[in-house]
């Protein structure tokens, strides 16, 4: 017995050291088995209590129990520490740094042409216009014939049309040269009263500082029984004041020719060109801004409407040019160069949708 008694402190140190040095849960469990398991060292000592004399047992019982409890407690504490460390390591490896901005430097922006489309739709939306659309690849009927461009008429040549390859019947489709064909599509699919604007891409063989082979137009069409040229003028005058964000705009008609309207007129808006930028709403100059007119009776007939019953107006404007005028961009070509510096300078925040009540720009 004395052997055991003398060795107890050394045994305890050894066990506690092994516990402290166990670097993971399985190493710790090996120590537990070696000391407290069925065949463990301390368990073995406990078994010797039965063979001791009562006096010896009285002395050794509490000492061995104390030893066992101390070692068990040390194992529990070490286990808790190892588990916490393992959890922390896992959490650290799965860490997400929520303080990082989603993109360090946001450079994406809404293109000025898209912004101007939104602005135009917001203004005409308030006036009760719906938005209509049509295909970029058109046939001759919708792009020209139904719009009263007679076969061989020089106005067809004015458009510098891109033709597609002829099909098996020798028929060539075209990239639409204007948004006016959607007037035809709308009148053929809807019953009057009609009040639509038609935003879209259009194509012509042209390339310089103010012309690109693809550009954007917004068309307007109103058809009912009573709409006249006075409505046309006031509607567009109100539109221009709202678009250029001025109190009032002054406009004038200049007689013009379009095959699909009669009478036809170009509309100018009063502006001031004396400074660096053009100011709409004041000044001594006039700025040509759009084409318009009363829908030609032949066009109404071509879509099956009786010109003695129905009438209305149409207009078309170049959106790229409107954007240049409003936002002071001197050259059209960078619109389509996908230059990040340019878009971050001239672009708009995409989530600030324009509205008349909330502000256009
Ligand atoms: N389609 C014409 C063009 O591209 C623009 C235009 C003029 C449209 C007068 C119209 C209009 O609806 O009435 O040159």
């Amino acid at each position: 017995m004395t052997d055991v008694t003398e060795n107890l402190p050394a045994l305890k140190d050894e066990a506690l050291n092994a516990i402290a040095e166990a670097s993971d849960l399985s190493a710790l469990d090996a120590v537990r088995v070696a000391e407290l398991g069925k065949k463990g060292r301390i368990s073995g000592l406990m078994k010797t209590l039965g063979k001791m004399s009562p006096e010896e047992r009285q002395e050794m019982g509490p000492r061995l129990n104390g030893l066992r409890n101390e070692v068990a407690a040390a194992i529990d504490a070490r286990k808790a520490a190892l588990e916490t460390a393992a959890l922390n390591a896992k959490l650290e490896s799965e860490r997400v740094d929520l303080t990082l901005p989603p993109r360090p430097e946001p450079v994406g922006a809404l293109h000025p042409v898209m912004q101007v489309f939104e602005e135009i739709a917001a203004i005409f939306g308030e006036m009760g216009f719906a938005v209509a659309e049509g295909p970029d690849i058109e046939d001759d009927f919708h792009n020209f014939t139904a719009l009263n461009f007679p076969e061989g008429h020089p106005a067809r040549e004015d458009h510098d049309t891109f033709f597609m390859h002829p099909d098996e019947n020798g028929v060539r489709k075209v990239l639409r040269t204007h948004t006016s064909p959607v007037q035809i599509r709308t009148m053929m699919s809807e019953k009057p009263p009609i009040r639509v604007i038609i935003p879209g891409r259009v194509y012509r063989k042209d390339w310089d500082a103010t012309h690109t082979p693809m550009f954007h137009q917004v068309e307007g069409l109103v058809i009912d029984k009573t709409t006249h040229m006075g409505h046309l003028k006031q509607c567009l005058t109100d539109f221009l004041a709202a678009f250029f964000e001025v109190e009032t705009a002054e406009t004038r008609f200049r007689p013009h020719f379009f095959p699909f309207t009669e009478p036809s007129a170009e509309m100018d808006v009063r502006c001031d060109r004396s400074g660096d930028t053009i100011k709409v709403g004041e000044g001594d100059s006039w700025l040509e801004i759009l084409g318009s007119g009363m829908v030609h009776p032949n066009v109404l007939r071509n879509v099956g409407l009786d010109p003695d019953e129905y009438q209305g107006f149409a207009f078309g404007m170049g959106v790229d040019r409107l954007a240049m005028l409003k936002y002071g961009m001197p050259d059209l070509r960078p619109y389509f160069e996908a230059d990040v510096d340019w878009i971050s300078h001239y672009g708009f925040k995409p989530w600030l949708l324009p509205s008349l009540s909330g502000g256009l720009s």
Side-chain angles (χ1 to χ4, degrees):
M1 256 324 100
T2 34
D3 277 5
V4 174
T5 317
E6 278 164 12
N7 287 340
L8 278 189
L11 191 152
K12 180 174 122 180
D13 283 350
E14 218 178 285
L16 292 181
N17 272 338
I19 291 166
E21 274 162 24
S23 57
D24 58 29
L25 289 170
S26 69
L28 180 65
D29 201 50
V31 177
R32 183 188 63 78
V33 171
E35 300 293 354
L36 304 177
K38 258 195 210 145
K39 293 181 184 160
R41 209 152 46 142
I42 296 173
S43 310
L45 289 174
M46 299 295 290
K47 282 180 199 148
T48 62
L49 285 173
K51 291 176 199 144
M52 289 180 195
S53 65
E55 299 78 47
E56 275 177 333
R57 195 179 307 130
Q58 205 164 23
E59 196 215 324
M60 286 308 290
R63 286 185 66 188
L64 285 174
N65 266 325
L67 172 66
R68 189 188 55 186
N69 292 344
E70 210 175 324
V71 169
I75 288 174
D76 284 348
R78 181 71 186 145
K79 190 170 176 220
L82 286 173
E83 279 171 352
T84 305
L87 181 63
N88 284 343
K90 185 157 188 272
L91 289 176
E92 187 59 37
S93 74
E94 292 172 359
R95 183 190 175 96
V96 176
D97 185 353
L98 297 176
T99 64
L100 277 177
R103 294 211 178 111
E105 279 173 58
V107 285
L110 198 63
H111 196 286
V113 168
M114 290 303 121
Q115 168 76 14
V116 166
F117 267 143
E118 298 286 355
E119 293 180 15
I120 293 172
I123 298 167
F124 282 107
E126 294 261 326
M127 296 191 202
F129 283 71
V131 172
E133 284 179 311
D136 288 22
I137 299 175
E138 264 300 3
D139 51 32
D140 182 89
F141 172 77
H142 291 92
N143 197 80
F144 292 123
T145 307
L147 287 164
N148 199 36
F149 289 74
E151 217 53 68
H153 191 281
R156 286 185 182 235
E157 312 311 314
D158 288 348
H159 277 199
D160 294 316
T161 312
F162 285 110
F163 289 96
M164 311 296 284
H165 291 302
D167 65 15
E168 59 276 13
N169 304 316
V171 177
R172 293 187 302 177
K173 291 214 170 186
V174 299
L175 287 176
R176 67 178 175 194
T177 57
H178 50 176
T179 40
S180 306
V182 190
Q183 286 190 32
I184 302 298
R185 292 183 176 276
T186 306
M187 287 187 282
M188 291 180 93
S189 63
E190 283 176 35
K191 280 197 172 340
I194 290 172
R195 212 184 265 189
V196 290
I197 56 162
I198 301 150
R201 296 192 180 97
V202 300
Y203 306 83
R204 292 184 198 179
K205 286 186 226 165
D206 238 339
W207 178 248
D208 61 37
T210 53
H211 296 89
T212 49
M214 189 280 292
F215 59 105
H216 302 85
Q217 290 186 336
V218 168
E219 189 87 9
L221 177 69
V222 174
I223 301 287
D224 56 27
K225 294 184 175 175
T226 55
T227 292
H228 54 67
M229 203 128 176
H231 295 126
L232 166 59
K233 187 168 186 197
Q234 195 60 51
C235 173
L236 291 175
T237 305
D238 287 350
F239 161 73
L240 290 169
F243 178 73
F244 286 105
E245 301 181 57
V246 290
E247 223 23 64
T248 51
E250 197 187 328
T251 54
R252 70 176 186 193
F253 276 143
R254 252 179 315 100
H256 201 78
F257 172 79
F258 299 106
F260 37 88
T261 42
E262 182 59 35
S264 302
E266 282 195 326
M267 183 176 257
D268 300 340
V269 64
R270 184 182 282 284
C271 69
D272 179 4
R273 295 176 196 256
S274 58
D276 293 345
T277 53
I278 297 180
K279 271 199 224 119
V280 168
E282 53 191 272
D284 300 325
S285 286
W286 292 94
L287 184 67
E288 178 193 324
I289 210 99
L290 52 83
S292 64
M294 298 304 293
V295 177
H296 197 293
N298 285 349
V299 173
L300 294 172
R301 269 183 219 109
N302 288 340
V303 298
L305 291 175
D306 178 359
D308 291 328
E309 194 181 355
Y310 292 107
Q311 58 188 39
F313 65 74
F315 58 86
M317 51 192 147
V319 176
D320 311 82
R321 190 158 157 271
L322 282 176
M324 286 170 85
L325 288 169
K326 182 164 178 181
Y327 294 113
M329 291 164 288
D331 191 329
L332 195 57
R333 286 168 294 196
Y335 273 36
F336 308 111
E337 282 171 3
D339 175 343
V340 171
D341 287 340
W342 186 87
I343 194 72
S344 50
H345 181 75
Y346 286 111
F348 292 81
K349 294 197 174 73
W351 54 87
L352 294 180
L353 277 188
S355 72
L356 281 185
S357 50
L360 280 185
S361 61

